[in-house]
Amino acid sequence: MVSEKARAKINLTLDILGARADGYHEVSMIMQAIDLADTVELEKSSGGISLEMDTTKIIGGENIPCDEKNLAWRAAIEFQKFCGENFGVKINIEKRIPMAAGLAGGSTDAAAVLRGMNRLYETNLTDAQLCKIGEKIGSDVPFCIIGGTCLAEGRGEILTQLTPIKKFDVVLAKPVGEISTPWAYKTYDDNPAKIHPPNAEIIKQFEHGNYDAAFKNFSNALENVAIKKIPAIAELKSKMLTAGAKVALMSGSGPTVFAVTDEHNVEKISQSVKDSGAQVFVTKFF
Ligand code: C5P
């Protein structure tokens, strides 16, 4: 049996450069892994692929499919195809990452299955090979394989690893409601925002440890689209900033808002959103 930690991600920035002929959008995003994680356990099996999930720790988990519609199951299929072997696997996932939240909860489980099957069957695939399999499953899967801090370009699958940054504390607030990623991008196209985070400048600021200047530059091109559907996103941001967050921004296509802070402000920021109806998580950069 092998066990993998499947970490969530947040988008420190999300820039949309334009629509592509393949239906995706060209993006430029600074992605950060965080310590909030599912646990993915894998065992060899002679009976093909199977998936069990403990979803008791997350809201709405009973709606997650446990068949080939699940990205973890699809990852096992794509791993088999790539290796040309009928590797059987029993997958067990303990969910902690909220679903449809902008935190890559499904993509990170798929990434953990790819990493885990590589260990279980001693196939010695490189990270680059695992990422090639991962990009067939979803644009965020390659980042979830690599983790840390990365610039993600193309449709999200072209990664440049960045110098590790200080492990700041993070408070997450996931308001009630879900945002579908295709809907967010489509709505953006109808009314493109003029929000373009200066990623090259932010990366330089990180390299110089000039974090406060970098935080001021964080932005997410999909945030205004999401706020129109779920106004609570703007309210959460404002509460977290008032409570002393260095920056408070929506992650991915939302609706989760993250606040970056020093440890001494974690409690105050958590308290500021605890009566809002949002689910609150305390975690940190990983
Ligand atoms: O890659 P993934 O399956 O996660 O993408 C889900 C959907 O989000 C895509 O079908 C597309 O509608 C949208 N998307 C996009 N541009 C990206 C990533 C996702 O338009 N770079």
Side-chain angles (χ1 to χ4, degrees), residues 23-25 27 137-139 155 181-182 185:
Y24 286 86
H25 290 73
V27 293
I137 302 159
S139 307
R155 63 180 171 92
T181 305
Y185 276 102

Side-chain angles (χ1 to χ4, degrees), residues 50-62:
S50 65
L51 171 61
E52 272 183 32
M53 290 188 122
D54 173 358
T55 57
T56 50
K57 291 195 178 73
I58 63 162
I59 293 172
E62 62 281 0

Side-chain angles (χ1 to χ4, degrees), residues 3-280:
S3 180
E4 287 282 334
K5 254 191 158 191
R7 290 194 172 79
K9 63 86 184 157
I10 52 177
N11 297 75
L12 302 183
T13 68
L14 193 160
D15 191 11
I16 302 177
L17 307 174
R20 301 173 18 149
D22 62 4
Y24 286 86
H25 290 73
E26 196 68 17
V27 293
S28 175
M29 320 183 279
I30 301 180
M31 314 273 273
Q32 175 64 52
I34 53 174
D35 211 17
L36 175 68
D38 297 340
T39 304
V40 178
E41 289 180 349
L42 305 173
E43 267 177 66
K44 284 187 185 175
S45 157
S46 53
I49 300 166
S50 65
L51 171 61
E52 272 183 32
M53 290 188 122
D54 173 358
T55 57
T56 50
K57 291 195 178 73
I58 63 162
I59 293 172
E62 62 281 0
N63 299 324
I64 301 179
C66 273
D67 55 20
E68 65 284 349
K69 287 202 265 319
N70 193 296
L71 297 187
W73 189 302
R74 283 198 35 217
I77 295 175
E78 293 297 339
F79 188 85
Q80 288 179 336
K81 275 195 205 156
F82 187 88
C83 296
E85 298 276 355
N86 201 13
F87 291 138
V89 65
K90 200 170 147 206
I91 308 167
N92 194 300
I93 303 180
E94 193 180 342
K95 289 294 303 173
R96 290 185 203 84
I97 306 169
M99 50 186 278
L103 300 172
S107 300
T108 196
D109 292 344
V113 167
L114 297 178
R115 284 196 309 262
M117 284 184 78
N118 198 28
R119 285 169 57 207
L120 193 65
Y121 281 102
E122 297 176 29
T123 34
N124 293 320
L125 302 190
T126 61
D127 281 353
Q129 287 172 308
L130 294 178
C131 286
K132 267 281 159 236
I133 308 175
E135 71 182 54
K136 295 203 172 85
I137 302 159
S139 307
D140 286 343
V141 177
F143 172 74
C144 293
I145 289 167
I146 301 297
T149 312
C150 286
L151 177 69
E153 298 173 291
R155 63 180 171 92
E157 86 288 19
I158 302 171
L159 300 176
T160 308
Q161 279 181 276
L162 304 178
T163 314
I165 59 175
K166 191 175 157 193
K167 303 290 177 259
F168 284 99
D169 289 85
V170 173
V171 179
L172 301 175
K174 152 83 179 55
V176 176
E178 287 178 7
I179 292 183
S180 121
T181 305
W183 175 86
Y185 276 102
K186 204 187 155 299
T187 310
Y188 172 91
D189 285 339
D190 297 339
N191 194 3
K194 289 183 188 65
I195 291 174
H196 294 291
N199 287 335
E201 188 181 333
I202 294 170
I203 291 166
K204 277 205 197 100
Q205 288 164 331
F206 280 166
E207 280 165 4
H208 293 115
N210 203 352
Y211 294 115
D212 286 332
F215 294 144
K216 288 199 180 75
N217 280 327
F218 285 13
S219 61
N220 179 334
L222 292 174
E223 197 176 64
N224 288 335
V225 165
I227 287 174
K228 283 206 187 90
K229 183 162 186 227
I230 305 185
I233 293 165
E235 289 153 29
L236 291 168
K237 283 183 60 164
S238 151
K239 283 184 175 149
M240 290 166 128
L241 287 169
T242 306
K246 289 175 178 295
V247 56
L249 192 74
M250 188 182 81
S251 178
S253 55
T256 303
V257 176
F258 66 88
V260 179
T261 179
D262 289 326
E263 195 182 355
H264 67 88
N265 251 344
V266 165
E267 186 56 29
K268 198 171 164 206
I269 295 169
S270 305
Q271 286 296 326
S272 76
V273 288
K274 91 170 191 329
D275 295 328
S276 64
Q279 280 176 270
V280 180

